[in-house]
Amino acid sequence: MHTATIDDVAQLAGVSIKTVSRVVNGEPNVRESTRRKVQEAIARLNYRPNLAARNLATKSSHLITLIYDDPSAYEAPSAGYVIRMQQGALQACRTASFDLLIHPCRYGEPDVGQQIKALIERVRPDGIVLAAPLSNIEQVVTAVAATGTRFVRVSPGDAGDDEFIVATNDREVSAEMTRYLASLGHRKIAFITGHASHKAVANRFLGYKDGLRQRGIPYSEDLVVAGDNSIGSGEKAAYQLLDKADRPTAIFAANDDMAAGVIRVAFNLGLDVPGELSVAGCDDVSLARQIFPALTTIRQPLSQMAGHATLSLIRQSFGEAPKTEAEIIYGSLKIRESTGPAPE
């Protein structure tokens, strides 16, 4: 059986071999109509480029690595956050004929920085997408930088001078969620904070306080309980809040997993959601749509954030100068059945 060659693709598409090579390598400045013709010819002939030869010729691995916190390290693992980031990064890689290596690690391990450094030195990727909370852990960022590999931090919570990061408007959209709950008549709105090491999640707490202030609702420390982003911590926090004589009528959790824990506790206590208690979360992972009632939450643009970070690294591998300002991709409210008017 004849194996398709680059010459066969060029002949079928009616272009030069050099043009086929540019399309395969994801190089810019190829007309979209030409790119489509070449891609159609590649699909029709089932052409498979020699990746080793391509990488040698371009002195590039054509590989992006997505490094993230391993969800299996948690008591009740939720991979929704990671899956959406993978989808965005993978789509960006496909457009440029790059490969994606996904690498989970446990950010709490004392040698996590050295683990990541060893991985980078072994596979030599063209770029690293560093997801939160790894993106704001100093030893991890320092270890990646020491390899000299390009990297983009996603949702680090803050950025250094002249550093390109990709983030979302956590604080502003969390204030919007708090105002939305207040617009339903809720005055006792509680908040469950996330893990202290997640700086971006900490911005959601600031947004909660902003929203209270904007609605003229006094802030009360009695209505704030610490969680660690897990379902179990959401359950524990819910019991603390709902055991109060003057319990809240709405609970806003810093992520969807903890909000799911609140809904479970409300069911165990015989509280109607949203009749007696409104519950809101953040991230809009698949769990938010699977639980009952479906969770009102903040849609965090995880896929777009990972995709933008990946494309930036790919463009840099082709010689484009790195950006020096943060790119903010806006989140939005997703109103579902877990919130309603405050009980009379």
Side-chain angles (χ1 to χ4, degrees):
M1 182 178 178
H2 174 67
T3 301
T5 66
I6 192 170
D7 302 83
D8 297 327
V9 175
Q11 184 176 359
L12 181 59
V15 299
S16 68
I17 292 174
K18 184 177 180 180
T19 298
V20 175
S21 178
R22 291 175 66 190
V23 172
V24 168
N25 290 328
E27 295 182 23
N29 303 321
V30 177
R31 281 185 300 202
E32 190 57 34
S33 59
T34 301
R35 190 183 300 277
R36 281 199 303 270
K37 284 197 300 183
V38 173
Q39 290 172 337
E40 289 169 1
I42 289 172
R44 183 173 173 183
L45 294 171
N46 195 28
Y47 170 64
R48 294 290 182 269
N50 186 325
L51 297 181
R54 179 188 71 171
N55 296 348
L56 182 62
T58 60
K59 296 182 181 179
S60 166
S61 65
H62 283 75
L63 177 69
I64 300 296
T65 301
L66 170 63
I67 301 178
Y68 58 88
D69 186 32
D70 186 357
S72 67
Y74 297 91
E75 181 180 355
S78 174
Y81 179 94
V82 173
I83 289 172
R84 284 172 52 200
M85 292 201 71
Q86 289 178 4
Q87 290 171 339
L90 184 58
Q91 182 60 39
C93 284
R94 283 174 175 166
T95 64
S97 297
F98 269 56
D99 293 313
L100 178 69
L101 171 67
I102 58 174
H103 182 75
C105 59
R106 301 186 177 188
Y107 80 93
E109 294 184 350
D111 64 339
V112 63
Q114 291 306 309
Q115 291 178 29
I116 293 173
K117 184 178 179 182
L119 167 76
I120 295 170
E121 292 174 344
R122 185 171 67 252
V123 302
R124 294 294 178 184
D126 280 328
I128 301 289
V129 176
L130 202 55
L134 296 164
S135 59
N136 58 53
I137 295 177
E138 185 177 357
Q139 68 154 312
V140 171
V141 176
T142 301
V144 175
T147 68
T149 307
R150 304 178 188 93
F151 68 99
V152 175
R153 296 195 294 155
V154 177
S155 294
D158 53 27
D161 295 335
D162 299 326
E163 179 192 8
F164 175 64
I165 65 167
V166 179
T168 188
N169 59 329
D170 281 299
R171 182 167 180 169
E172 292 79 7
V173 75
S174 295
E176 183 181 356
M177 177 63 82
T178 306
R179 293 195 304 270
Y180 165 71
L181 294 171
S183 74
L184 297 174
H186 296 282
R187 300 287 295 178
K188 294 189 290 292
I189 304 171
F191 191 81
I192 303 175
T193 62
H195 198 287
S197 66
H198 292 233
K199 293 182 181 178
V201 174
N203 286 334
R204 299 171 189 176
F205 177 47
L206 296 176
Y208 159 75
K209 293 198 287 187
D210 290 343
L212 292 178
R213 184 176 63 256
Q214 291 158 3
R215 283 292 184 172
I217 300 174
Y219 167 73
S220 171
E221 289 187 357
D222 289 341
L223 293 177
V224 178
V225 178
D228 64 8
N229 298 345
S230 68
I231 293 176
S233 72
E235 293 177 348
K236 183 178 179 180
Y239 277 119
Q240 285 182 249
L241 290 166
L242 298 175
D243 191 48
K244 297 178 182 295
D246 189 21
R247 67 187 182 207
T249 61
I251 298 178
F252 177 14
N255 78 344
D256 290 340
D257 285 5
M258 294 190 294
V262 174
I263 289 178
R264 181 174 179 179
V265 168
F267 175 79
N268 290 340
L269 295 177
L271 295 175
D272 178 65
V273 176
E276 296 175 275
L277 176 71
S278 286
V279 182
C282 186
D283 288 337
D284 197 26
V285 297
S286 58
L287 177 66
R289 298 180 294 279
Q290 294 167 353
I291 60 176
F292 178 82
L295 182 65
T296 289
T297 186
I298 295 169
R299 173 79 175 181
Q300 190 177 20
L302 296 169
S303 180
Q304 297 96 311
M305 291 161 68
H308 282 233
T310 302
L311 282 175
S312 171
L313 292 167
I314 291 172
R315 293 189 182 111
Q316 289 179 54
S317 75
F318 288 122
E320 183 176 296
K323 299 178 181 178
T324 57
E325 295 181 357
E327 183 169 354
I328 305 299
I329 304 176
Y330 292 93
S332 58
L333 302 194
K334 293 296 177 183
I335 309 303
R336 299 194 178 101
E337 292 84 5
S338 68
T339 52
E344 294 182 2

